[in-house]
């Protein structure tokens, strides 16, 4: 242990690195909060702590970076005299190693309680997806409400700090057409609707955002859709705003890409999507357009850039790989990532790859990685269109996902985590309350980001780390129970998404038990709420799960159901166990914990909600089996189904009551019969309708009196 006779921890580090400085600042705060010592922030040659970020730093100590430390990794060693060394091959690794020391200091409550370790990142590209509210892909109040927050650099400072602490190293920024907010094109100044003063303000914003990200070891990328221009450009040139392949649009797009890369030196790269407004084009035409705009635009820039070529509605992997081969020959294309949607828009479902979005059908085309690529790496995009309001966190799901879809697949180099219909900026869902200790939506969802970031970096990170994070927030003795509660609760949306297949964004919203646009089953045309009929008559996403009709056919046909298959009854039993566990955990916490501890009251309310949602799902599954059995066989099970739905309704009533105390009715992006807002209370009548549906039902072969 370092000698601390004067109550000061002295540190030797290179002060010209903003990344290392970020880590040192975090360590300073941890020592100040947890110990009786201060941190001497002046570089020292005879120090308690040495932070080494590369060969040049190591050379000053007549040493070398250990060979087992890779890019962005670190090794913590303790010398014979008790001095602590953080060895890293780069500044990012040195920052992460120092952040590790800060975390361990907070956990131990004392400086110096450190164990030696070596940690290297398991996943190279660890990115967040952030949809911007200007020129947005999803229009509506749920997007517009974030505009002011997302123009505030203090918001971005907090968001980037969170990313760095959680070991994310890439921020992908998505909107339809970012260029008018960034440049006035040299040859097409009419494309920008902004005045010179307005554009200068935007330019300052972008430069500062990209700089702050770089100073935290975070790469930045712009992601667009195709083909899009501004209304001003379209009017002047007599072209369409969307999906016009006119030569003037091609030239404008290519030159805009070049100019953006030249003017924003801290921007890491650019990416795009062959989708949405290119439906009339052949796969070859789509890819050729991409080559002549994005690839050629990067080639003409004054510097190299990384290219993200999304595999979305390409309709031909062969054509996509042809253009990637051409891009690989461009000196300015420094690296190529190919993001692909894991299980389309509902990545928080099953860890088995059941669909992508290369084709409208969702079929998985393994030619994206077979033969294995040598000039690009695949990036799984794990979307969350499934829980926007309630807190979520299941480390086991994330570990299993990485193990199944990255660890043994050398062609997978990264993950992008995020949403299309949810922007984690302004928290507009929560009612004003004294327990609201957070300012931004991502701060409320702190566990989601902590788990994904830390486990992408190191999937072996133990649950104790996350339990300690709860205790740092809410006090000792709570972490194990809170994390366990979230593990059980977070399975509900995962299991519903695995059982009830969704495709694009609004085909499923498990948190609300909604399927606004039905993808693969019955649409009764009444409501976005998943009715009992719609739950029964629907395909599963996970091919190991049996739908209710499949289960009844196998059961009544005398078919032996393989033990690897999950029946609706198996799933109901699992949900019942989980729901009871959640509510039991909350009861134990309520009995021993002061409810007014900051946001803990709200955390517990979310757990109660997950508990009753889980039990609602369980009862409805059992009711669905009874209901369908009655309709298929005529057996007297209708009354049982009605009783189960009444029990389910009791759980929904608790969900409605608890959430109404905490949450507003919120904007939700799509048009349906109930409008464009969501709350659980809004669907109380649909829960009762299920009971009526079953009461009025008849067997399929019923011919009347």
């Amino acid at each position: 242990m370092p000698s601390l006779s004067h109550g000061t921890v002295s540190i030797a580090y290179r002060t010209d690195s903003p990344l290392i400085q970020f880590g040192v600042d975090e360590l300073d705060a941890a020592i100040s909060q947890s110990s009786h010592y201060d941190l001497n922030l002046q570089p020292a040659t005879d120090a308690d702590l040495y932070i080494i970020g590369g060969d040049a730093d190591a050379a000053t100590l007549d040493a070398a970076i250990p060979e087992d430390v890779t890019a962005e990794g670190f090794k913590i060693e303790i010398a014979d005299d008790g001095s602590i060394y953080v060895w890293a091959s780069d500044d990012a690794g040195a920052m992460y190693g120092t952040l590790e020391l800060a975390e361990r200091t907070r956990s131990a409550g004392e400086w110096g309680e450190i164990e030696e370790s070596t940690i290297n990142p398991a996943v190279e590209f660890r990115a967040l997806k952030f949809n911007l509210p200007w020129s947005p892909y999803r229009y509506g109040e749920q997007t517009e409400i974030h505009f002011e927050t997302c123009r505030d650099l203090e918001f971005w400072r907090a968001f980037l700090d969170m990313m760095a602490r959680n070991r994310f190293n890439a921020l992908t920024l998505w909107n339809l057409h970012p260029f008018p907010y960034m440049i006035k094109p040299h040859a097409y100044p009419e494309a920008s609707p902004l005045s010179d003063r307005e554009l200068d303000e935007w330019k300052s914003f972008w430069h500062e955002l990209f700089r702050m990200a770089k100073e935290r070891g975070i790469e930045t990328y712009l992601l667009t859709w195709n083909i899009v221009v501004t209304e001003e450009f379209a009017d002047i040139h007599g072209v369409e705003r969307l999906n016009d392949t006119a030569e003037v649009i091609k030239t404008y797009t290519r030159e805009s890409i070049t100019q953006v890369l030249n003017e924003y030196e801290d921007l890491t790269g650019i990416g795009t999507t062959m989708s949405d407004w290119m439906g009339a084009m052949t796969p070859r035409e789509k890819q050729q357009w991409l080559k002549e705009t994005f690839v050629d635009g990067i080639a003409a820039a004054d510097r190299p850039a990384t290219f993200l070529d999304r595999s979305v509605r390409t309709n031909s992997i062969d054509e996509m790989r042809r253009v990637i081969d051409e891009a690989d020959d461009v000196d300015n294309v420094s690296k190529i990532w190919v993001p692909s949607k894991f299980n389309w828009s509902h990545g928080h479902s099953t860890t088995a790859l059941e669909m992508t979005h290369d084709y409208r059908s969702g079929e998985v085309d393994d030619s994206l990685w077979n033969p294995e690529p040598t000039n690009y790496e695949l990036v799984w995009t794990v979307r969350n269109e499934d829980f926007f309001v309630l807190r979520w966190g299941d480390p086991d799901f994330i570990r299993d996902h990485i193990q199944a879809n990255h660890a043994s697949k050398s062609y997978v180099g990264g993950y992008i985590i995020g949403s299309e219909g949810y922007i984690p900026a302004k928290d507009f869902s929560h009612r004003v309350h004294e327990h609201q200790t957070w300012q931004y939506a991502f701060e409320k969802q702190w566990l989601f980001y902590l788990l994904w970031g830390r486990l992408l970096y190191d999937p072996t990170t133990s649950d104790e780390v996350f339990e300690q994070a709860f205790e740092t927030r809410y006090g000792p003795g709570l972490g194990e129970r809170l994390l366990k509660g979230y593990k059980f609760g977070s399975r509900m949306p995962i299991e519903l998404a695995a059982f009830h297949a969704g495709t694009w964004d609004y085909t499923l919203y498990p948190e609300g038990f909604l399927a606004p646009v039905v993808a693969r089953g019955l649409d009764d045309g009444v409501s976005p709420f998943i009715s009992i009929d719609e739950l029964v008559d629907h395909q599963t996403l996970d091919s190991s799960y049996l739908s209710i009709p499949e289960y009844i056919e196998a059961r009544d046909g005398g078919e032996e159901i393989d033990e690897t298959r999950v029946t609706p009854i198996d799933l109901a039993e699992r949900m019942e166990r989980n729901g009871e566990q959640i509510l039991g955990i909350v009861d134990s916490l309520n009995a021993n914990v002061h409810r007014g501890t900051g946001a803990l009251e709200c955390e517990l309310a979310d757990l109660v909600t997950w508990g009753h949602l889980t039990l609602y799902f369980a009862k409805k599954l059992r009711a669905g089996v009874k209901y369908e059995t009655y309709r298929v066989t005529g057996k007297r099970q209708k009354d049982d189904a009605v009783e189960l739905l009444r029990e389910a309704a009791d759980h929904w009533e608790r969900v409605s009551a608890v959430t109404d105390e905490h949450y507003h009715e919120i904007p939700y992006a799509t048009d349906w019969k109930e409008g464009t807002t969501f709350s659980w209370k809004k669907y109380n009548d649909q829960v009762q309708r299920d009971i009526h549906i079953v009461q009025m039902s008849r067997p399929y072969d019923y011919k009347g009196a």
Side-chain angles (χ1 to χ4, degrees):
M1 181 180 298
S3 173
L4 301 172
S5 57
H6 299 292
T8 300
V9 179
S10 62
I11 176 173
Y13 69 103
R14 179 163 38 85
T15 58
D16 63 354
S17 167
L19 283 77
I20 297 176
Q21 188 63 56
F22 180 85
V24 169
D25 290 344
E26 292 288 309
L27 179 60
D28 185 21
I31 290 175
S32 298
Q33 294 168 8
S34 306
S35 302
H36 302 293
Y37 308 109
D38 296 319
L39 192 65
N40 177 5
L41 297 179
Q42 299 303 314
T45 56
D46 185 14
D48 302 307
L49 170 64
Y50 295 86
I51 302 173
I52 302 100
D55 291 333
D57 289 359
T60 65
L61 300 174
D62 294 324
I65 303 300
E67 292 183 358
D68 58 345
V69 176
T70 65
E72 296 191 348
F74 62 86
K75 177 187 284 287
I76 297 174
E77 287 188 332
I78 303 176
D80 291 341
D81 65 357
S83 299
I84 297 173
Y85 288 77
V86 175
W87 300 96
S89 63
D90 50 34
D91 288 6
M95 177 182 70
Y96 295 144
T98 310
L99 290 172
E100 183 79 13
L101 290 179
E103 180 176 83
R104 295 185 192 182
T105 299
R106 288 192 180 95
S107 177
E110 191 69 41
W111 166 252
E113 297 295 325
I114 305 298
E115 295 181 359
E116 293 188 326
S117 61
T118 301
I119 303 177
N120 292 309
V123 178
E124 179 182 350
F125 188 78
R126 307 179 300 279
L128 289 179
K129 169 179 165 59
F130 197 107
N131 277 35
L132 297 169
W134 46 87
S135 187
Y137 181 74
R138 293 286 179 211
Y139 289 90
E141 184 184 357
Q142 81 292 338
T143 298
E144 296 165 359
I145 200 168
H146 296 288
F147 195 99
E148 183 178 349
T149 302
C150 289
R151 280 299 310 276
D152 184 354
L153 286 168
E154 288 307 307
F155 162 76
W156 287 107
R157 188 184 310 279
F159 192 80
L160 293 167
D161 285 353
M162 175 277 294
M163 289 185 65
R165 293 185 189 109
N166 292 332
R167 318 301 197 256
F168 289 107
N169 65 356
L171 173 63
T172 60
L173 300 165
W174 305 58
N175 68 358
L176 293 184
H177 193 56
F179 309 133
Y181 297 90
M182 304 182 77
I183 58 169
K184 189 177 289 292
H186 299 314
Y188 303 98
E190 69 277 8
S192 176
L194 304 177
S195 69
D196 289 345
R197 181 184 60 80
E198 290 171 328
L199 185 57
D200 285 344
E201 291 175 354
W202 275 100
K203 285 185 174 183
S204 295
F205 166 81
W206 291 114
H207 279 294
E208 184 65 10
L209 173 57
F210 297 153
R211 181 193 64 79
M212 288 194 301
K214 187 175 182 179
E215 290 181 348
R216 290 158 177 78
I218 298 168
E219 297 179 339
T220 46
Y221 298 89
L222 299 176
L223 275 293
T224 74
W225 280 264
N226 285 283
I227 301 170
V228 186
V229 295
T230 62
E231 291 182 4
E232 292 80 1
F233 185 96
D235 290 344
I236 289 174
H237 292 279
V239 295
E240 298 295 326
R241 178 173 172 265
L242 301 176
N243 200 34
D244 195 323
T245 59
E247 192 66 29
V248 67
I249 293 180
K250 186 185 297 182
T251 304
Y252 157 71
T253 303
R254 180 176 61 249
E255 294 184 3
S256 294
I257 291 165
T258 300
Q259 189 173 337
V260 164
L261 291 173
N262 287 343
E263 291 193 18
Y264 294 94
E265 65 279 0
D266 288 336
L267 176 66
T268 310
I270 196 163
T272 196
T273 304
M274 298 288 99
S275 65
D276 292 88
W277 304 289
M278 303 180 80
M281 300 171 71
T282 67
R284 187 173 185 84
E285 287 171 338
K286 287 182 182 182
Q287 295 298 327
Q288 195 59 31
W289 196 90
L290 180 148
K291 194 275 176 188
E292 295 175 10
T293 53
F294 283 82
V295 175
D296 289 354
I298 294 172
D302 296 337
R303 64 176 180 90
T306 300
F307 181 44
L308 275 68
D309 185 4
R310 295 186 72 207
S311 183
V312 174
R313 290 177 65 174
T314 57
N315 295 322
S316 171
I317 301 300
D318 289 343
E319 280 297 319
M320 182 179 189
R321 294 188 74 155
R322 175 185 66 82
V323 169
I324 289 175
D325 288 342
E326 294 184 28
D328 188 49
D329 291 333
V330 176
D331 290 340
N332 260 3
V333 177
S334 56
K335 189 173 181 64
I336 301 173
W337 296 108
V338 176
S340 179
K341 296 182 189 177
F342 192 98
N343 288 335
W344 207 321
S345 294
H346 301 281
H348 293 79
S349 50
T350 171
T351 60
L353 181 63
E354 301 286 1
M355 66 172 70
T356 63
H357 197 191
D358 295 319
Y359 307 89
R360 290 181 64 89
S361 66
E363 70 176 278
V364 176
D365 186 348
D366 71 353
S367 63
L368 188 59
W369 56 85
N370 183 22
E372 188 165 322
T374 59
N375 52 10
Y376 67 85
E377 290 184 77
L378 194 65
V379 175
W380 293 128
T381 302
V382 178
R383 291 271 295 278
N384 167 32
E385 309 304 332
D386 307 304
F387 39 86
F388 298 160
V389 180
L390 302 176
R391 296 166 175 85
W392 183 96
D394 182 2
D396 295 333
F397 170 80
I398 297 171
R399 291 189 189 99
D400 290 346
H401 203 294
I402 296 168
Q403 179 61 36
N405 301 292
H406 173 270
S408 61
K409 295 176 171 56
S410 57
Y411 52 84
V412 177
Y415 276 71
I416 299 174
I417 310 299
S419 306
E420 203 94 288
Y422 170 75
I423 298 175
K426 181 181 176 67
D427 183 5
F428 56 84
S429 66
H430 201 278
R431 296 187 184 277
V432 176
H433 197 286
E434 62 183 8
H435 68 226
Q436 185 173 348
T437 56
W438 63 92
Q439 182 176 1
Y440 304 117
F442 76 85
E443 293 172 324
K444 176 190 161 192
Q445 291 285 2
W446 65 273
L447 185 61
F448 174 86
Y449 294 102
L450 173 70
L451 294 177
W452 267 114
R454 295 298 298 276
L455 291 170
L456 286 173
Y457 185 81
D458 177 16
T460 69
T461 301
S462 69
D463 280 356
E464 285 76 12
V465 171
F466 309 128
E467 293 166 3
Q468 183 59 46
F470 276 109
E471 300 197 356
T472 298
R473 287 171 175 265
Y474 302 127
L478 309 179
E480 183 178 0
R481 284 177 289 173
L482 283 167
L483 183 63
K484 186 178 293 185
Y486 274 108
K487 281 186 178 185
F488 289 129
S490 298
R491 295 303 304 181
M492 182 269 165
I494 290 171
E495 295 289 9
L496 180 54
F499 180 77
H500 195 85
T503 56
W504 67 281
D505 308 10
Y506 298 117
T507 58
L508 191 63
Y509 178 40
E511 176 183 62
F513 220 86
L514 305 183
V517 182
V518 175
R520 300 195 170 188
L522 171 70
D523 181 358
D524 66 13
V526 174
S527 164
F529 187 76
I530 300 172
S531 70
I532 187 66
D533 282 332
E534 291 170 326
L535 186 71
V536 169
D537 189 2
H538 200 90
Q539 295 178 29
T540 65
L541 172 65
D542 191 321
S543 55
S544 70
Y545 284 44
L546 290 172
S547 69
I548 290 173
E550 289 171 336
Y551 167 65
I552 291 172
E553 182 180 1
R555 181 197 65 188
D556 294 352
E559 178 183 336
E560 183 176 348
I561 298 174
D562 190 278
E563 62 181 12
T564 63
R565 306 299 300 275
V566 178
T567 73
I569 297 302
D570 293 335
L571 183 54
E573 290 175 350
R574 186 185 303 168
M575 293 294 93
E576 285 166 346
R577 289 193 299 269
N578 287 1
E580 295 299 341
Q581 286 273 10
I582 297 164
L583 297 180
I585 287 169
V586 173
D587 285 344
S588 75
L589 289 167
N590 283 337
N592 298 291
V593 176
H594 176 54
R595 291 292 299 276
T597 309
L600 179 58
E601 182 178 351
C602 195
E603 299 259 12
L604 294 178
D606 278 5
L607 285 177
V608 169
T609 303
W610 280 128
H612 287 289
L613 274 174
T614 301
L615 291 169
Y616 173 79
F617 183 27
K619 297 296 183 183
K620 192 160 180 171
L621 280 169
R622 288 191 180 278
V625 172
K626 296 282 189 182
Y627 172 46
E628 184 67 359
T629 298
Y630 163 71
R631 291 196 295 179
V632 170
T633 68
K635 292 180 180 178
R636 299 175 61 84
Q637 297 200 24
K638 183 165 78 169
D639 290 347
D640 292 342
V642 168
E643 181 57 32
L644 284 163
L645 287 173
R646 286 183 174 138
E647 293 175 16
D650 290 341
H651 290 295
W652 189 270
E653 184 177 346
R654 288 292 298 134
V655 168
S656 179
V658 172
T659 55
D660 193 48
E661 290 180 0
H662 281 256
Y663 296 115
H664 298 288
E665 187 167 304
I666 62 169
Y668 181 70
T670 195
D671 292 322
W672 53 29
K673 294 176 178 61
E674 278 81 6
T676 58
T677 60
F678 167 76
S679 70
W680 285 270
K681 183 173 69 173
K682 190 173 183 176
Y683 294 97
N684 288 351
D685 62 332
Q686 296 302 315
V687 172
Q688 295 299 318
R689 175 175 172 264
D690 278 344
I691 299 172
H692 181 71
I693 288 172
V694 175
Q695 287 174 328
M696 301 301 294
S697 66
R698 294 288 186 271
Y700 287 125
D701 61 0
Y702 177 74
K703 295 182 174 58

